[in-house]
Every structure is written in C-alpha cells, then in structure tokens.
Amino acid sequence: QVQLVESGGGLVQAGGSLRLSCAASGRTFSSYAMGWFRQVPGKEREFVAGINAINWSGGKTYYVDSVKGRFTISRDNAKNTLYLQMNSLKPEDTAVYYCAAHESGNSAWASGFKYWGQGTQVTVSS
C-alpha cells in the first residue's frame, strides 16, 4: 500500500517562500511519476506540478501555467521524497496542497494519479 505524508505547509506573507515535502513508502519510489495538487474549499482539486520517473523522458516536469517560473517540483529517489519549492507566493496560492503518486512513470496523464496524501495547508497573506 502506497503511503504519502506531506509536510512544510504554513502561513507566509505574499512574496515569500515555502518548501513542501512528501515522504513516500510502499513501493519503488523511483519507478513512478509523482505530483502536487491543490484544492480550495468549494472548488475542484487542481493539478499544480508533476514529475516523471527518470526513465520517462528523463524525469520531465510539468506545471500549471499559474505557477510556472515560481514553483519547482523535484524528487530525491534515494530518500523517497518529493518536494515542491514555492517562491514569490501570492494570496491566490492559498489552498490545501496534496502529494499524489501515479500508477505509471508518466505524470502527463493526470487521471493516472491514484494515491493521495492527507494534505497540508498553505496560507499566503496579502
């Protein structure tokens, strides 16, 4: 059973930075794509960023347009950990952020994210 545990959320002022972490267990971490999603109350969960397994296009990354240039997704396969570095944060980035694990190595297929963490709250004040 895949388990995902997020950490690193919190309250930050606009323009600030946070780094989210996601510790994964239960399968060979390096073989699967990973991603970050976020959700605001009353809205659907939104894809934020994805990263392929290394043998899928060399670990290609994907971002939603609203975070390009500000957020960076990365993974440490030796530590079974996924990261999301968030810079130049804006109040509209406020949401619960979820770590997700894909059923394949290719994160471009959004419906393939099958495993979810419990979420971590990120609040950006203006």
Side-chain angles (χ1 to χ4, degrees):
Q1 183 70 18
V2 177
Q3 293 188 326
L4 304 170
V5 179
E6 301 100 333
S7 61
L11 173 64
V12 64
Q13 288 189 332
S17 299
L18 282 175
R19 188 176 80 156
L20 305 183
S21 299
C22 173
S25 62
R27 65 178 187 182
T28 305
F29 178 77
S30 60
S31 298
Y32 295 90
M34 299 290 295
W36 289 97
F37 288 71
R38 64 187 180 187
Q39 189 169 24
V40 174
K43 293 189 176 181
E44 291 189 358
R45 192 171 296 185
E46 173 190 38
F47 172 83
V48 176
I51 184 167
N52 287 0
I54 193 66
N55 57 337
W56 279 87
S57 304
K60 187 175 181 179
T61 56
Y62 301 87
Y63 298 91
V64 66
D65 286 346
S66 60
V67 308
K68 284 180 180 177
R70 300 188 298 121
F71 290 12
T72 302
I73 188 171
S74 62
R75 64 193 299 164
D76 186 334
N77 291 330
K79 295 183 178 180
N80 290 352
T81 302
L82 177 73
Y83 302 100
L84 184 67
Q85 178 67 43
M86 304 185 294
N87 298 329
S88 302
L89 282 161
K90 304 175 180 180
E92 52 263 43
D93 294 318
T94 295
V96 177
Y97 283 72
Y98 296 91
C99 172
H102 208 275
E103 62 179 7
S104 81
N106 184 6
S107 64
W109 173 35
S111 61
F113 285 99
K114 300 298 187 184
Y115 305 98
W116 302 88
Q118 82 287 352
T120 185
Q121 177 71 46
V122 171
T123 303
V124 184
S125 63
S126 57

